Structures are given as C-alpha cells and as structure tokens.
Amino acid sequence: MKRISELDYMKGLAMMMVVMGHVLLFSLKVEHTALIAIINICEMPLFFVVSGYLVHKEREEDLKETMSRLLVRSRTLLVPLVVWSIVLNICSDRVMCSLSVIYREGYWFFLALWWCDMLNTFTVFTSKRFKLGMVADMVLYSSVYFVILLGRIKNIDFGGILPIQNMQYYFPFFVLGLLMRKYKFVNDVVLSKYSYAVGMLLLIIGWYFSSLESFVIWFVAALEGVVVVWMVCKEINSELKVAKMLSIVGKNTLPIYAIHYLFIAIMPCTLRGMVDIPNGFFFQLVITFVYAVLVIFLCLLVDRILSLNPITRMIFFGESKRREW
C-alpha cells in the first residue's frame, strides 16, 4: 500500500507530543499545566485513529493470510514491549521476579494496540461472514466495546496483561479510524470543513475545562483534536523540510516510543523551578520542544545502529525488514 503522507505527519506530531509530555512529567516534574493538558488530549488518540485507519484491508484475507499478519503484528508489538521493559528495568535497577520485569507500565501502548488488533480481527471475521453493512458494523463494534466496558466494571485484566482502562478510552478512536477507511461516508463526515470548524471550537472549550477531569469532556476534546490535526496535516506541503522531518519521525514511532524512556533524565532543580509557574506555557513549550527534539534524534541514532544487523533488529524490535526513512 502506498504511504499516505498526512498519516506520517500525524504520527510524527503525536510522537513529538508524547516525548514532550514525558519531558514535562518525568524530567521537569511538572504535572498540571495548560501544555500538559493539550498534549494529553491529542497525543494517544492520534496514534489509535491512525492505527485503525491503517489496519483495514481492502481485499478479503484468507485464514492463512490473517494468521500470518497477526503473527507479524504480534511480533512487532510484543517483542519491543518485553525487551525494552527488561532494558528499562535493568537501567533503573528494578530487576525483580514479577510481571513488571517484562511489562513496564510506560509501554502499555504496545499491549493496548495489540488487543485492538486482536479484537478487530474477530470483528472483521464476523462482519465478512454475515456480509454486514456500515450500520451493522457500528453495532458490532459497539458490542465489542460493551464487553470492554464490562471488563472494566468487573476489573478483569488477565493478571495485568489487559490494559483495560486504556482500552476503555482508546478503542473507540481505533474503530473510528477503521470505519473512516472502510466507509467513504464516515470519512467525509469526519473530515469536512464543518467538522473542522466545530472541532476547533470544541477543542478549545475542552482544553479550557480539562481540569474538571471529566471523561466526556476529554473524549469530545480528543475527538475534535483528531479532526483538527488531521485537517491541518492534509494541508502540509510535502516539499517542506519540516514535513520531511515529521515524516521520518512518523515512520519510526515504534523505536522512538520504545527507546525514549532511556533519555528522559531528571533536569536540574533550578530549571524545574523556572518552568513550574502558572503562566509559563510558552517557556515550557520551548524547553520541552528542544529537549524532545534531542531525545528523538538520539532514539533514531540508537535505532539505526540496532537495525544495521537483522539479528539485533529482530531481537529489539521484532522486525525482519528495515523501516523507511
């Protein structure tokens, strides 16, 4: 499938926000600011929408193709989850006989995305078997989501390997991306000039009231954030240097996400005190952006070194082929 540039830009922006958010939280020890709020609203929903959009297959797969795809997908998501959790535990001197040795909470994204893929495979099989249409598909995915909510209520997490709280929030974004790819009607409704205008307004309102910690406010703001960022990325000129850099980051989000925790160092107390001020939005933005760019550069450097050899590429990232730049 031909790469869709706007999706790479979206993933690149989302990855930048993830690293900036972790710089604020773990390096600068800043938790409640306007910058953190807007990052938390947009970052992960963008990943799940794009992942859902890309997971849809135009042609019908047979059982062998489906199993082969799931095997590759499981390898590329679960291998980094385990390997980099162990690496991070060793680096932070947290080696112990527990699940946390092979699953650091910071890597919940890999596991949540894997579960989304597994649930989607079951749903797609059911949809194709009974030749369901758009409305029936929505009902089917809603039923799967109901099971997720039931698991959340019953606190079923299979010993910690089911990130049910994250699934509760992000699975709808994954399904939205999938339905946008599958049905032109859904895509046209979500990405229209009217939804763009409404989305900008609701994103600002949701950002303003984000301190209320309301599921509905955050979800609506995140949904509109996805619309706004997607529409903006559609207008980015691919010839710009910024676009090319975003594309590189977007094509390499997996290794950046896996490696970046190693470079999130605690900054000096003086600097932390300077940025932890009520109206320090732009100062925080500059500091975290500069440090995030440095961290991403180091991640890409480490990734290139590890990816030179197919054995280390498989061990650390579960990949048999080199990624594009």
Side-chain angles (χ1 to χ4, degrees), residues 142-287:
S142 297
S143 301
V144 174
Y145 187 55
F146 174 77
V147 173
I148 293 173
L149 293 180
L150 186 62
R152 176 76 176 97
I153 295 171
K154 298 293 185 180
N155 199 28
I156 300 172
D157 63 358
F158 297 133
I161 64 171
L162 175 57
I164 193 68
Q165 186 169 359
N166 295 314
M167 290 286 292
Q168 172 195 359
Y169 186 71
Y170 294 113
F171 186 70
F173 292 100
F174 181 88
V175 173
L176 174 63
L178 189 148
L179 294 177
M180 287 174 65
R181 182 67 182 276
K182 188 173 182 180
Y183 299 108
K184 186 177 182 300
F185 172 78
V186 178
N187 187 81
D188 291 343
V189 169
V190 174
L191 300 181
S192 69
K193 59 182 181 181
Y194 304 107
S195 62
Y196 184 35
V198 173
M200 184 67 76
L201 177 62
L202 292 180
L203 175 59
I204 294 172
I205 295 174
W207 182 24
Y208 183 81
F209 288 103
S210 60
S211 60
L212 297 179
E213 299 290 340
S214 166
F215 180 92
V216 174
I217 291 176
W218 276 75
F219 185 84
V220 172
L223 182 60
E224 303 311 324
V226 166
V227 173
V228 170
V229 173
W230 200 320
M231 294 293 284
V232 169
C233 287
K234 285 172 68 73
E235 301 302 321
I236 294 178
N237 186 345
S238 61
E239 298 301 317
L240 295 175
K241 289 185 179 180
V242 173
K244 294 177 181 179
M245 293 172 63
L246 268 181
S247 182
I248 291 174
V249 175
K251 292 173 182 176
N252 293 274
T253 52
L254 186 148
I256 294 172
Y257 189 90
I259 300 169
H260 82 279
Y261 284 104
L262 299 178
F263 299 109
I264 304 295
I266 297 178
M267 293 187 179
C269 292
T270 304
L271 184 58
R272 283 151 49 191
M274 291 172 63
V275 299
D276 192 12
I277 54 179
N279 298 311
F281 180 89
F282 291 104
F283 188 45
Q284 292 171 7
L285 179 63
V286 172
I287 295 296

Side-chain angles (χ1 to χ4, degrees), residues 293-306:
V293 169
L294 175 61
V295 168
I296 288 174
F297 172 78
L298 292 173
C299 290
L300 290 173
L301 180 61
V302 172
D303 170 55
R304 289 302 100 179
I305 294 172
L306 294 177

Side-chain angles (χ1 to χ4, degrees), residues 55-72:
V55 81
H56 174 67
K57 303 299 179 185
E58 297 294 343
R59 68 178 186 85
E60 187 171 347
E61 296 179 324
D62 57 29
L63 181 60
K64 183 179 179 180
E65 289 174 320
T66 300
M67 295 306 297
S68 176
R69 177 176 56 80
L70 286 180
L71 178 62
V72 172

